[in-house]
Amino acid sequence: MIPPRRFPPALAIPAAASLTLIAGTLQGLLKSHAPGAIWLLFYPAVYLSSWLGGLIAGVTSAVVSIAIVWLWMLPGSLTLPGALLATAVFACLCGLICYSHERGRRSEQRLRILFARSADAIIVADMFGCCRAINPSACVMLAYPRANLIGQSIFGFVAPEDSERVKQALDLARQGGIDRLDIHIVNALAESIPVELSTNALSGDEWLINIRDSRPRKEAEESLLQVRAELYEAQRLAQIGNWQWDMTSDQMKWSPELFRIYRWDPAKAPPSIDELEVFYAAQSRESRKTAMQEVMTSGKPYTAEREIVFPDGMRRWILVTNEGIRGPDGKITKLRGTAQDVTDRKRMELQLIDSQSELREIAAHRELEREEERKAIAREIHDELGQLLAAMRMNAVQIQAHCSPAPAARVHLDDLSKLVQRMFEVVRSLATSLRPAALDLGLVSALEWLVEDFSIRWEIPCKLQILGDEPELRDALSTAVFRVVQESLTNAAKHAQAHQIDIQLSFEAQLVRVSIRDDGCGFIPEQTNRPGHFGLIGMRERILSLQGHIDIKTAPGQGTQVAFEVPINDSHTLTLQKT
């Protein structure tokens, strides 16, 4: 160990001056015997002053030495140039001596601070393992005062089962090597403490022994292992695994759950990004390539569903996430993400979609059947009942023309004629409400009749605008469009308190577009989902059954716009199969 500075700071300058004066006195006695050795004894004085007192003491000794030489020894001994040269050489050498000792003093000070304040226990032992120096942390760890530890053998604190390993480590330290051991020491309180011991050889057959309490490290390792186990268990339950790919080294890391998802042998290294291509279905493979190129360029995260196919033909669905990690230079150097097995959820989702599609087809089929029934009933009412009423009215007219009944009978006959006429109007209205006869003439004719009838009945101005030429439309399409417009007009009259309604019907190459706009009070869309309210739901289902799209825009006080479009030719649209 480096000895401490001998002079306290307050005595450094007086002591250095005293050493220099003693050296000057001896040099004066030596001058008569060796005239050319004027600076000889001043060098040891400067050396001792800087070693014992540091930089200030060394500089003080050098300055006093130069003053003594110039005042008492140089006159008459050397020429001026020679004296200046000798003084310069002396000053330079003294500066080097002072600088080297100051560096050593500061290094010693740093080492002593580290030794005293280190959280690890540090022991300096001789070749037999006896303690020569010990820091406060070692006293705390071993639960002994310093006086009781100096001179004690370190083997007295090492657990018996670890003594031989420590001896081997000290032998390695004697040969210049360093060994790190996990052992147990027993302190004065009979506590067995797990520690990490490292040794190193010092000069003078001494060992530097560093003892670190490994309990915090072991607790941290156990906590980390526990957290990791809980993470892996959570991933197993959630069927989600994570991965990371270092693009620079082409190293891939997988969590255990990811091996299970891809049915990959955990004993093997994870597959590379390119090797994963074989797992994906054709459509998923193409979208994956595009997404990977995008994330490698921009680093922007993405989430997508991918279908994977195993060699035995089994198919699974996974939900993948991916994002880029930028290095210090701002470039994408790593990719990380997750993969979650969502096969069960996807299967349920597909089943739900199929179920919804089947329900929509059933509803559309039932609606077609109902329209056909309405058409048949309307035709029966118009043809059969209408003809009977017409015959009754003709008979009543003939009776009035060819007979001369009594006045009382004539009154009853007039009432009968009026009743027949009223029944005829009710029958015609009933047949029209079931299915307007104008629908047989085309969609435009039916909507023109509907707008005219609505304007008269509700006394609300309604304007119809036709864009394009009407093509030949399927009866199911014409009926559905008519019913949606009819329902929209009814809602505007009953609930919206509208004062003006505008309808636009547009025929395009493959689409029929319709827009119904009113200036009514509007409504809150969320309130239309109440039980028992199926108007808007029925409108949506009619359009969706034709593979169309409907959009309803509204807000309280801002009116309502119902816009929808349906394809003119749609092979998926249901048609009623007649038997």
Side-chain angles (χ1 to χ4, degrees), residues 221-244:
E221 290 176 351
E222 291 176 359
S223 177
L224 179 61
L225 291 175
Q226 180 66 22
V227 171
R228 182 176 297 176
E230 292 176 355
L231 173 62
Y232 289 161
E233 180 64 15
Q235 289 189 351
R236 185 187 68 82
L237 294 175
Q239 297 184 328
I240 183 172
N242 66 290
W243 58 270
Q244 180 171 296

PDB file of all heavy atoms in Angstrom, residues 221-244:
ATOM      1  N   GLU A 221     -31.801 -11.791  -9.560  1.00  0.00           N
ATOM      2  CA  GLU A 221     -31.878 -12.877 -10.538  1.00  0.00           C
ATOM      3  C   GLU A 221     -33.137 -13.710 -10.324  1.00  0.00           C
ATOM      4  O   GLU A 221     -33.821 -14.080 -11.292  1.00  0.00           O
ATOM      5  CB  GLU A 221     -30.640 -13.752 -10.425  1.00  0.00           C
ATOM      6  CG  GLU A 221     -29.361 -13.078 -10.917  1.00  0.00           C
ATOM      7  CD  GLU A 221     -28.144 -13.959 -10.703  1.00  0.00           C
ATOM      8  OE1 GLU A 221     -28.285 -15.007 -10.032  1.00  0.00           O
ATOM      9  OE2 GLU A 221     -27.067 -13.592 -11.194  1.00  0.00           O
ATOM     10  N   GLU A 222     -33.434 -14.010  -9.053  1.00  0.00           N
ATOM     11  CA  GLU A 222     -34.647 -14.781  -8.766  1.00  0.00           C
ATOM     12  C   GLU A 222     -35.896 -14.007  -9.164  1.00  0.00           C
ATOM     13  O   GLU A 222     -36.849 -14.573  -9.707  1.00  0.00           O
ATOM     14  CB  GLU A 222     -34.689 -15.135  -7.279  1.00  0.00           C
ATOM     15  CG  GLU A 222     -33.620 -16.135  -6.856  1.00  0.00           C
ATOM     16  CD  GLU A 222     -33.634 -16.377  -5.367  1.00  0.00           C
ATOM     17  OE1 GLU A 222     -34.468 -15.737  -4.679  1.00  0.00           O
ATOM     18  OE2 GLU A 222     -32.820 -17.199  -4.888  1.00  0.00           O
ATOM     19  N   SER A 223     -35.879 -12.685  -8.882  1.00  0.00           N
ATOM     20  CA  SER A 223     -37.024 -11.866  -9.282  1.00  0.00           C
ATOM     21  C   SER A 223     -37.165 -11.831 -10.797  1.00  0.00           C
ATOM     22  O   SER A 223     -38.279 -11.920 -11.334  1.00  0.00           O
ATOM     23  CB  SER A 223     -36.850 -10.449  -8.736  1.00  0.00           C
ATOM     24  OG  SER A 223     -37.901  -9.614  -9.156  1.00  0.00           O
ATOM     25  N   LEU A 224     -36.015 -11.724 -11.490  1.00  0.00           N
ATOM     26  CA  LEU A 224     -36.057 -11.712 -12.953  1.00  0.00           C
ATOM     27  C   LEU A 224     -36.571 -13.039 -13.486  1.00  0.00           C
ATOM     28  O   LEU A 224     -37.386 -13.076 -14.419  1.00  0.00           O
ATOM     29  CB  LEU A 224     -34.657 -11.419 -13.503  1.00  0.00           C
ATOM     30  CG  LEU A 224     -34.518 -11.401 -15.022  1.00  0.00           C
ATOM     31  CD1 LEU A 224     -35.397 -10.330 -15.633  1.00  0.00           C
ATOM     32  CD2 LEU A 224     -33.059 -11.179 -15.421  1.00  0.00           C
ATOM     33  N   LEU A 225     -36.096 -14.144 -12.890  1.00  0.00           N
ATOM     34  CA  LEU A 225     -36.572 -15.455 -13.323  1.00  0.00           C
ATOM     35  C   LEU A 225     -38.064 -15.613 -13.062  1.00  0.00           C
ATOM     36  O   LEU A 225     -38.790 -16.192 -13.876  1.00  0.00           O
ATOM     37  CB  LEU A 225     -35.790 -16.548 -12.609  1.00  0.00           C
ATOM     38  CG  LEU A 225     -34.308 -16.693 -13.001  1.00  0.00           C
ATOM     39  CD1 LEU A 225     -33.622 -17.738 -12.128  1.00  0.00           C
ATOM     40  CD2 LEU A 225     -34.173 -17.060 -14.471  1.00  0.00           C
ATOM     41  N   GLN A 226     -38.525 -15.085 -11.917  1.00  0.00           N
ATOM     42  CA  GLN A 226     -39.938 -15.157 -11.599  1.00  0.00           C
ATOM     43  C   GLN A 226     -40.773 -14.353 -12.586  1.00  0.00           C
ATOM     44  O   GLN A 226     -41.815 -14.818 -13.071  1.00  0.00           O
ATOM     45  CB  GLN A 226     -40.173 -14.656 -10.171  1.00  0.00           C
ATOM     46  CG  GLN A 226     -41.623 -14.677  -9.727  1.00  0.00           C
ATOM     47  CD  GLN A 226     -42.185 -16.083  -9.608  1.00  0.00           C
ATOM     48  OE1 GLN A 226     -41.424 -17.049  -9.455  1.00  0.00           O
ATOM     49  NE2 GLN A 226     -43.504 -16.213  -9.677  1.00  0.00           N
ATOM     50  N   VAL A 227     -40.296 -13.127 -12.871  1.00  0.00           N
ATOM     51  CA  VAL A 227     -41.007 -12.287 -13.838  1.00  0.00           C
ATOM     52  C   VAL A 227     -41.030 -12.940 -15.204  1.00  0.00           C
ATOM     53  O   VAL A 227     -42.045 -12.935 -15.913  1.00  0.00           O
ATOM     54  CB  VAL A 227     -40.361 -10.893 -13.897  1.00  0.00           C
ATOM     55  CG1 VAL A 227     -40.937 -10.083 -15.053  1.00  0.00           C
ATOM     56  CG2 VAL A 227     -40.571 -10.146 -12.590  1.00  0.00           C
ATOM     57  N   ARG A 228     -39.888 -13.522 -15.584  1.00  0.00           N
ATOM     58  CA  ARG A 228     -39.819 -14.183 -16.892  1.00  0.00           C
ATOM     59  C   ARG A 228     -40.754 -15.383 -16.940  1.00  0.00           C
ATOM     60  O   ARG A 228     -41.450 -15.610 -17.943  1.00  0.00           O
ATOM     61  CB  ARG A 228     -38.374 -14.611 -17.169  1.00  0.00           C
ATOM     62  CG  ARG A 228     -38.178 -15.271 -18.519  1.00  0.00           C
ATOM     63  CD  ARG A 228     -36.722 -15.581 -18.755  1.00  0.00           C
ATOM     64  NE  ARG A 228     -35.916 -14.356 -18.809  1.00  0.00           N
ATOM     65  CZ  ARG A 228     -34.597 -14.350 -18.927  1.00  0.00           C
ATOM     66  NH1 ARG A 228     -33.931 -15.495 -18.990  1.00  0.00           N
ATOM     67  NH2 ARG A 228     -33.950 -13.201 -18.979  1.00  0.00           N
ATOM     68  N   ALA A 229     -40.783 -16.156 -15.837  1.00  0.00           N
ATOM     69  CA  ALA A 229     -41.683 -17.312 -15.808  1.00  0.00           C
ATOM     70  C   ALA A 229     -43.143 -16.861 -15.887  1.00  0.00           C
ATOM     71  O   ALA A 229     -43.954 -17.468 -16.598  1.00  0.00           O
ATOM     72  CB  ALA A 229     -41.438 -18.116 -14.538  1.00  0.00           C
ATOM     73  N   GLU A 230     -43.487 -15.793 -15.164  1.00  0.00           N
ATOM     74  CA  GLU A 230     -44.851 -15.281 -15.221  1.00  0.00           C
ATOM     75  C   GLU A 230     -45.182 -14.748 -16.611  1.00  0.00           C
ATOM     76  O   GLU A 230     -46.305 -14.915 -17.105  1.00  0.00           O
ATOM     77  CB  GLU A 230     -45.029 -14.182 -14.176  1.00  0.00           C
ATOM     78  CG  GLU A 230     -44.969 -14.690 -12.737  1.00  0.00           C
ATOM     79  CD  GLU A 230     -45.054 -13.566 -11.726  1.00  0.00           C
ATOM     80  OE1 GLU A 230     -45.069 -12.388 -12.159  1.00  0.00           O
ATOM     81  OE2 GLU A 230     -45.110 -13.855 -10.511  1.00  0.00           O
ATOM     82  N   LEU A 231     -44.191 -14.092 -17.252  1.00  0.00           N
ATOM     83  CA  LEU A 231     -44.413 -13.598 -18.614  1.00  0.00           C
ATOM     84  C   LEU A 231     -44.666 -14.751 -19.572  1.00  0.00           C
ATOM     85  O   LEU A 231     -45.606 -14.709 -20.379  1.00  0.00           O
ATOM     86  CB  LEU A 231     -43.208 -12.784 -19.069  1.00  0.00           C
ATOM     87  CG  LEU A 231     -43.210 -12.326 -20.533  1.00  0.00           C
ATOM     88  CD1 LEU A 231     -44.390 -11.401 -20.807  1.00  0.00           C
ATOM     89  CD2 LEU A 231     -41.902 -11.636 -20.895  1.00  0.00           C
ATOM     90  N   TYR A 232     -43.840 -15.796 -19.475  1.00  0.00           N
ATOM     91  CA  TYR A 232     -44.018 -16.940 -20.366  1.00  0.00           C
ATOM     92  C   TYR A 232     -45.345 -17.649 -20.088  1.00  0.00           C
ATOM     93  O   TYR A 232     -46.005 -18.140 -21.011  1.00  0.00           O
ATOM     94  CB  TYR A 232     -42.857 -17.915 -20.210  1.00  0.00           C
ATOM     95  CG  TYR A 232     -41.550 -17.399 -20.773  1.00  0.00           C
ATOM     96  CD1 TYR A 232     -40.324 -17.945 -20.394  1.00  0.00           C
ATOM     97  CD2 TYR A 232     -41.541 -16.348 -21.687  1.00  0.00           C
ATOM     98  CE1 TYR A 232     -39.132 -17.475 -20.912  1.00  0.00           C
ATOM     99  CE2 TYR A 232     -40.349 -15.865 -22.207  1.00  0.00           C
ATOM    100  CZ  TYR A 232     -39.147 -16.434 -21.815  1.00  0.00           C
ATOM    101  OH  TYR A 232     -37.969 -15.952 -22.327  1.00  0.00           O
ATOM    102  N   GLU A 233     -45.751 -17.693 -18.801  1.00  0.00           N
ATOM    103  CA  GLU A 233     -47.030 -18.312 -18.478  1.00  0.00           C
ATOM    104  C   GLU A 233     -48.183 -17.482 -19.032  1.00  0.00           C
ATOM    105  O   GLU A 233     -49.163 -18.022 -19.558  1.00  0.00           O
ATOM    106  CB  GLU A 233     -47.154 -18.464 -16.963  1.00  0.00           C
ATOM    107  CG  GLU A 233     -48.447 -19.109 -16.498  1.00  0.00           C
ATOM    108  CD  GLU A 233     -48.593 -20.545 -16.958  1.00  0.00           C
ATOM    109  OE1 GLU A 233     -47.582 -21.150 -17.395  1.00  0.00           O
ATOM    110  OE2 GLU A 233     -49.722 -21.069 -16.883  1.00  0.00           O
ATOM    111  N   ALA A 234     -48.052 -16.148 -18.918  1.00  0.00           N
ATOM    112  CA  ALA A 234     -49.086 -15.266 -19.478  1.00  0.00           C
ATOM    113  C   ALA A 234     -49.147 -15.421 -20.997  1.00  0.00           C
ATOM    114  O   ALA A 234     -50.233 -15.439 -21.584  1.00  0.00           O
ATOM    115  CB  ALA A 234     -48.805 -13.815 -19.099  1.00  0.00           C
ATOM    116  N   GLN A 235     -47.990 -15.542 -21.628  1.00  0.00           N
ATOM    117  CA  GLN A 235     -47.974 -15.742 -23.079  1.00  0.00           C
ATOM    118  C   GLN A 235     -48.618 -17.079 -23.446  1.00  0.00           C
ATOM    119  O   GLN A 235     -49.323 -17.171 -24.459  1.00  0.00           O
ATOM    120  CB  GLN A 235     -46.539 -15.679 -23.599  1.00  0.00           C
ATOM    121  CG  GLN A 235     -45.931 -14.292 -23.580  1.00  0.00           C
ATOM    122  CD  GLN A 235     -44.598 -14.240 -24.294  1.00  0.00           C
ATOM    123  OE1 GLN A 235     -44.030 -15.265 -24.663  1.00  0.00           O
ATOM    124  NE2 GLN A 235     -44.096 -13.038 -24.501  1.00  0.00           N
ATOM    125  N   ARG A 236     -48.361 -18.094 -22.614  1.00  0.00           N
ATOM    126  CA  ARG A 236     -48.959 -19.403 -22.904  1.00  0.00           C
ATOM    127  C   ARG A 236     -50.482 -19.330 -22.804  1.00  0.00           C
ATOM    128  O   ARG A 236     -51.207 -19.868 -23.654  1.00  0.00           O
ATOM    129  CB  ARG A 236     -48.415 -20.453 -21.931  1.00  0.00           C
ATOM    130  CG  ARG A 236     -48.894 -21.865 -22.228  1.00  0.00           C
ATOM    131  CD  ARG A 236     -48.465 -22.820 -21.137  1.00  0.00           C
ATOM    132  NE  ARG A 236     -49.148 -22.540 -19.885  1.00  0.00           N
ATOM    133  CZ  ARG A 236     -50.379 -22.959 -19.597  1.00  0.00           C
ATOM    134  NH1 ARG A 236     -51.075 -23.671 -20.471  1.00  0.00           N
ATOM    135  NH2 ARG A 236     -50.940 -22.658 -18.431  1.00  0.00           N
ATOM    136  N   LEU A 237     -50.975 -18.660 -21.756  1.00  0.00           N
ATOM    137  CA  LEU A 237     -52.421 -18.559 -21.577  1.00  0.00           C
ATOM    138  C   LEU A 237     -53.054 -17.709 -22.681  1.00  0.00           C
ATOM    139  O   LEU A 237     -54.161 -18.006 -23.140  1.00  0.00           O
ATOM    140  CB  LEU A 237     -52.729 -17.965 -20.203  1.00  0.00           C
ATOM    141  CG  LEU A 237     -52.335 -18.824 -18.994  1.00  0.00           C
ATOM    142  CD1 LEU A 237     -52.579 -18.072 -17.705  1.00  0.00           C
ATOM    143  CD2 LEU A 237     -53.097 -20.142 -18.996  1.00  0.00           C
ATOM    144  N   ALA A 238     -52.350 -16.639 -23.069  1.00  0.00           N
ATOM    145  CA  ALA A 238     -52.887 -15.755 -24.113  1.00  0.00           C
ATOM    146  C   ALA A 238     -52.561 -16.233 -25.518  1.00  0.00           C
ATOM    147  O   ALA A 238     -53.020 -15.638 -26.493  1.00  0.00           O
ATOM    148  CB  ALA A 238     -52.346 -14.340 -23.920  1.00  0.00           C
ATOM    149  N   GLN A 239     -51.755 -17.312 -25.612  1.00  0.00           N
ATOM    150  CA  GLN A 239     -51.329 -17.845 -26.909  1.00  0.00           C
ATOM    151  C   GLN A 239     -50.681 -16.763 -27.761  1.00  0.00           C
ATOM    152  O   GLN A 239     -50.990 -16.583 -28.937  1.00  0.00           O
ATOM    153  CB  GLN A 239     -52.511 -18.469 -27.662  1.00  0.00           C
ATOM    154  CG  GLN A 239     -53.127 -19.669 -26.953  1.00  0.00           C
ATOM    155  CD  GLN A 239     -54.225 -20.316 -27.755  1.00  0.00           C
ATOM    156  OE1 GLN A 239     -54.957 -19.660 -28.502  1.00  0.00           O
ATOM    157  NE2 GLN A 239     -54.390 -21.613 -27.612  1.00  0.00           N
ATOM    158  N   ILE A 240     -49.762 -16.044 -27.138  1.00  0.00           N
ATOM    159  CA  ILE A 240     -49.061 -14.975 -27.836  1.00  0.00           C
ATOM    160  C   ILE A 240     -47.573 -15.090 -27.533  1.00  0.00           C
ATOM    161  O   ILE A 240     -47.178 -15.324 -26.390  1.00  0.00           O
ATOM    162  CB  ILE A 240     -49.598 -13.585 -27.418  1.00  0.00           C
ATOM    163  CG1 ILE A 240     -48.902 -12.480 -28.200  1.00  0.00           C
ATOM    164  CG2 ILE A 240     -49.467 -13.353 -25.928  1.00  0.00           C
ATOM    165  CD1 ILE A 240     -49.516 -11.108 -27.986  1.00  0.00           C
ATOM    166  N   GLY A 241     -46.752 -14.977 -28.542  1.00  0.00           N
ATOM    167  CA  GLY A 241     -45.303 -15.028 -28.393  1.00  0.00           C
ATOM    168  C   GLY A 241     -44.673 -13.785 -28.992  1.00  0.00           C
ATOM    169  O   GLY A 241     -45.249 -13.129 -29.859  1.00  0.00           O
ATOM    170  N   ASN A 242     -43.471 -13.469 -28.519  1.00  0.00           N
ATOM    171  CA  ASN A 242     -42.758 -12.300 -29.045  1.00  0.00           C
ATOM    172  C   ASN A 242     -41.446 -12.720 -29.678  1.00  0.00           C
ATOM    173  O   ASN A 242     -40.903 -13.800 -29.389  1.00  0.00           O
ATOM    174  CB  ASN A 242     -42.506 -11.275 -27.926  1.00  0.00           C
ATOM    175  CG  ASN A 242     -41.554 -11.787 -26.869  1.00  0.00           C
ATOM    176  OD1 ASN A 242     -41.906 -12.682 -26.106  1.00  0.00           O
ATOM    177  ND2 ASN A 242     -40.345 -11.246 -26.813  1.00  0.00           N
ATOM    178  N   TRP A 243     -40.937 -11.876 -30.541  1.00  0.00           N
ATOM    179  CA  TRP A 243     -39.699 -12.159 -31.265  1.00  0.00           C
ATOM    180  C   TRP A 243     -38.938 -10.871 -31.519  1.00  0.00           C
ATOM    181  O   TRP A 243     -39.487  -9.775 -31.419  1.00  0.00           O
ATOM    182  CB  TRP A 243     -40.004 -12.844 -32.600  1.00  0.00           C
ATOM    183  CG  TRP A 243     -40.894 -12.046 -33.508  1.00  0.00           C
ATOM    184  CD1 TRP A 243     -42.245 -12.086 -33.550  1.00  0.00           C
ATOM    185  CD2 TRP A 243     -40.497 -11.058 -34.468  1.00  0.00           C
ATOM    186  NE1 TRP A 243     -42.733 -11.202 -34.480  1.00  0.00           N
ATOM    187  CE2 TRP A 243     -41.678 -10.555 -35.064  1.00  0.00           C
ATOM    188  CE3 TRP A 243     -39.271 -10.570 -34.890  1.00  0.00           C
ATOM    189  CZ2 TRP A 243     -41.647  -9.574 -36.055  1.00  0.00           C
ATOM    190  CZ3 TRP A 243     -39.250  -9.591 -35.881  1.00  0.00           C
ATOM    191  CH2 TRP A 243     -40.426  -9.112 -36.450  1.00  0.00           C
ATOM    192  N   GLN A 244     -37.657 -11.027 -31.842  1.00  0.00           N
ATOM    193  CA  GLN A 244     -36.814  -9.888 -32.206  1.00  0.00           C
ATOM    194  C   GLN A 244     -35.778 -10.353 -33.211  1.00  0.00           C
ATOM    195  O   GLN A 244     -35.184 -11.420 -33.057  1.00  0.00           O
ATOM    196  CB  GLN A 244     -36.129  -9.303 -30.964  1.00  0.00           C
ATOM    197  CG  GLN A 244     -35.237  -8.101 -31.285  1.00  0.00           C
ATOM    198  CD  GLN A 244     -34.737  -7.407 -30.035  1.00  0.00           C
ATOM    199  OE1 GLN A 244     -35.503  -6.861 -29.259  1.00  0.00           O
ATOM    200  NE2 GLN A 244     -33.441  -7.427 -29.822  1.00  0.00           N
TER     201      GLN A 244
END
